[in-house]
Amino acid sequence: MAHSPSRSGRPPIQQLQTVADLLDSPALARLYAHILQYGPITVSEIVDTLDIPQGTAYDYVQNLETAGLVEKSREQRPYEYDAEAIALTLSTDGETQTITPALIAAVARRDEDEDIDVYIERHGLDGLAAALEYAYEYIDGTVNHRIAARELDLSPLEAEIILQALEPVAAEYADAAA
């Protein structure tokens, strides 16, 4: 496992636990992705935009801040928070997987997009990460759903469904993936 040093200098294991929480909690992932995209932002703005309870928002922001994934960008009240882009690479048994902000954003859509939720249930987060890589090529026009289906061992219909579901995420994060 390798991890880019954080701006905060927080311990990597603590960050790993928080990243695991992000992958397990679509609501937390949505909050992180929102801060990353729109920060610096106040908790009040997050509550208004994401329509989550204020206490939950403060708890989530505090957890992300403790792990060094978000930090205060303004020290006076109301505090504003900005997020650090995650780039966590895991290696096990010769397999390597990178957890990126785009993957977190895809997980964040799980509660809102049944196609992503079903895909994760069937293929897990590793499958989602692989499909996301094909989604970048799909929006570039270098891969179609049939090629992705063959490479991901899916039916063409399932490949088309997940590529279309991931298309907004891939378009939003295409520059970061390049």
Side-chain angles (χ1 to χ4, degrees):
M1 170 180 70
H3 185 282
S4 334
S6 71
R7 295 180 298 206
S8 66
R10 297 283 195 256
I13 299 298
Q14 187 175 16
Q15 288 185 329
L16 176 61
Q17 178 60 52
T18 303
V19 170
D21 292 344
L22 284 168
L23 294 172
D24 194 44
S25 171
L28 179 60
R30 197 172 78 155
L31 184 135
Y32 166 78
H34 188 77
I35 294 172
L36 185 63
Q37 184 175 13
Y38 298 105
I41 189 169
T42 66
V43 172
S44 179
E45 292 168 329
I46 293 168
V47 168
D48 291 344
T49 305
L50 298 183
D51 194 31
I52 60 175
Q54 185 175 1
T56 301
Y58 276 105
D59 288 345
Y60 284 174
V61 168
Q62 183 178 11
N63 290 344
L64 293 170
E65 184 179 22
T66 299
L69 299 177
V70 301
E71 65 181 19
K72 288 178 187 160
S73 60
R74 187 170 94 179
E75 292 300 322
Q76 305 93 338
R77 291 183 187 244
Y79 300 124
E80 290 183 340
Y81 295 89
D82 211 354
E84 177 180 348
I86 294 170
L88 179 67
T89 302
L90 303 170
S91 297
T92 56
D93 299 328
E95 297 289 321
T96 300
Q97 182 62 54
T98 301
I99 299 169
T100 63
L103 180 60
I104 301 296
V107 169
R109 293 174 184 251
R110 185 176 189 174
D111 285 344
E112 303 163 358
D113 190 320
E114 187 177 345
D115 294 330
I116 292 174
D117 187 50
V118 168
Y119 194 85
I120 292 171
E121 289 294 322
R122 289 184 182 165
H123 305 284
L125 292 171
D126 289 318
L128 182 68
L132 185 58
E133 292 303 315
Y134 282 97
Y136 291 122
E137 296 179 54
Y138 180 74
I139 64 170
D140 282 347
T142 56
V143 165
N144 62 32
H145 71 286
R146 292 188 187 285
I147 294 170
R150 183 182 69 232
E151 297 295 320
L152 294 170
D153 195 25
L154 304 173
S155 72
L157 178 60
E158 187 175 20
E160 180 69 24
I161 289 169
I162 194 59
L163 290 174
Q164 286 182 9
L166 292 173
E167 190 172 3
V169 175
E172 185 176 324
Y173 290 88
D175 290 340

